[in-house]
Amino acid sequence: MILRKEKDPMGKAIADYWKNGKAGRLRVFSPMFDEDEIPVPHLFRTVEEMSSIEQEALRMAQGKTLDVGAGAGCHALALQGRGIDVTAIDISPLSVEVMQARGVQNARLADFFSLDTQFDTILMLMNGIGIVGTLLNMPRFFQLLDSILAPGGQVVCDSSDIQYVFEDEDGTIEFPDADGYYGELSYRMQYKNIVGNPFPWLYVDAETLSAQAEQHGYSVEVIIKGQHDDYLARIKKSDAMG
Ligand code: SAH
């Protein structure tokens, strides 16, 4: 699904920042949290400004590489500068226009779930695995990998275990919805008067991701553990079915 410009707050924020060197507040709402904000300059971060998780992810990229949900193109530009053959996709027309203006040679308006060409490395960064949305959608994610991951290919993605969010001071944990997985969130964004539609967004701990992967013939290797229950992982097809 491609976003309409009138329903694309993040794209509008990115376009404003690119044009004017500044932007208003990109507001994030979720039923589970207080109102939050994504600092728009962060979407234009340089490699030096990236976390060690992101820097390592860039080092891992090899072969024909896909940057999924590339936003303003920070990762795609870095890879392109290192001579990597990178394709950047996003469902935001405004973001794709900015990526093209910034010099991303292969920036395309496309939904990850509609892709049909193969890649050696699929990068999903800034909690990029989030676009899977819910655990229920995991089979669809791995079926897609079956068709778009080249033989020997890898997914390089980051996420975090957000259990700490539900922990009281005394250490007891109370999940809001006992039936669902606690990392399944719903977000809505707003920029100026542009209000986006709510969308599901998944934070998944490494163990749960591993269990899901195994069910579909994939394995997960944790490459780096961050300081805030975040991590960088590599997903690959399992060598042998056992
Ligand atoms: N990777 C960038 C931007 C992260 S924000 C960075 O690290 O700065 C997530 C981006 O994913 C948004 O630009 C959003 O438009 C895009 N996106 C969401 N769902 C998508 C999908 N199904 N296919 C491709 N892009 C998607």
Side-chain angles (χ1 to χ4, degrees):
M1 173 217 53
I2 301 300
L3 295 175
R4 283 183 295 129
K5 288 188 179 180
E6 328 76 82
K7 282 281 182 188
D8 179 13
M10 184 186 270
K12 181 65 178 159
I14 285 174
D16 265 10
Y17 189 83
W18 171 244
K19 200 160 60 167
N20 307 317
K22 59 184 169 57
R25 294 169 57 223
L26 178 56
R27 303 162 70 189
V28 181
F29 304 90
S30 171
M32 227 95 88
F33 300 114
D34 293 336
E35 182 182 334
D36 202 357
E37 243 177 76
I38 298 179
V40 181
H42 180 70
L43 298 168
F44 288 79
R45 60 204 180 280
T46 61
V47 174
E48 293 71 37
E49 292 164 336
M50 288 175 192
S51 68
S52 47
I53 282 185
E54 289 180 301
Q55 293 185 4
E56 178 60 23
L58 293 178
R59 280 192 288 271
M60 288 168 68
Q62 50 163 42
K64 197 167 152 33
T65 297
L66 176 71
D67 183 1
V68 179
C74 57
H75 302 111
L77 280 170
L79 291 174
Q80 200 173 279
R82 293 178 191 182
I84 300 239
D85 171 6
V86 59
T87 299
I89 61 158
D90 207 289
I91 54 172
S92 157
L94 288 164
S95 298
V96 172
E97 282 170 21
V98 169
M99 282 197 273
Q100 286 164 345
R102 294 184 79 201
V104 178
Q105 280 158 18
N106 214 344
R108 283 170 41 201
L109 185 61
D111 184 339
F112 177 61
F113 289 98
S114 310
L115 290 180
D116 56 9
T117 47
Q118 290 199 328
F119 296 91
D120 301 299
T121 299
I122 298 179
L123 278 184
M124 305 175 82
L125 296 179
M126 198 171 158
N127 187 50
I129 196 94
I131 72 166
V132 177
T134 61
L135 289 187
L136 205 63
N137 203 31
M138 279 288 178
R140 192 168 164 229
F141 172 61
F142 287 109
Q143 277 153 27
L144 177 66
L145 294 187
D146 285 342
S147 71
I148 69 167
L149 205 52
Q154 55 171 352
V155 174
V156 176
C157 64
D158 61 348
S159 192
S160 27
D161 183 351
I162 61 164
Q163 176 161 306
Y164 68 91
V165 168
F166 308 102
E167 223 170 277
D168 287 344
E169 289 100 84
D170 64 2
T172 52
I173 297 169
E174 246 181 85
F175 295 124
D177 175 5
D179 298 328
Y181 171 64
Y182 60 79
E184 293 177 336
L185 303 187
S186 169
Y187 279 136
R188 200 161 51 79
M189 291 199 276
Q190 178 171 358
Y191 180 74
K192 295 184 173 167
N193 59 349
I194 300 173
V195 182
N197 289 326
F199 57 94
W201 194 255
L202 179 69
Y203 288 87
V204 62
D205 68 277
E207 259 175 53
T208 303
L209 180 61
S210 276
Q212 292 282 332
E214 262 171 46
Q215 287 179 33
H216 297 92
Y218 286 82
S219 61
V220 173
E221 180 191 351
V222 174
I223 306 288
I224 304 185
K225 278 192 177 140
Q227 283 169 348
H228 310 282
D229 298 299
D230 50 337
Y231 64 93
L232 177 68
R234 167 168 31 220
I235 306 176
K236 295 196 87 167
K237 191 104 192 147
S238 300
D239 296 332
M241 293 297 191

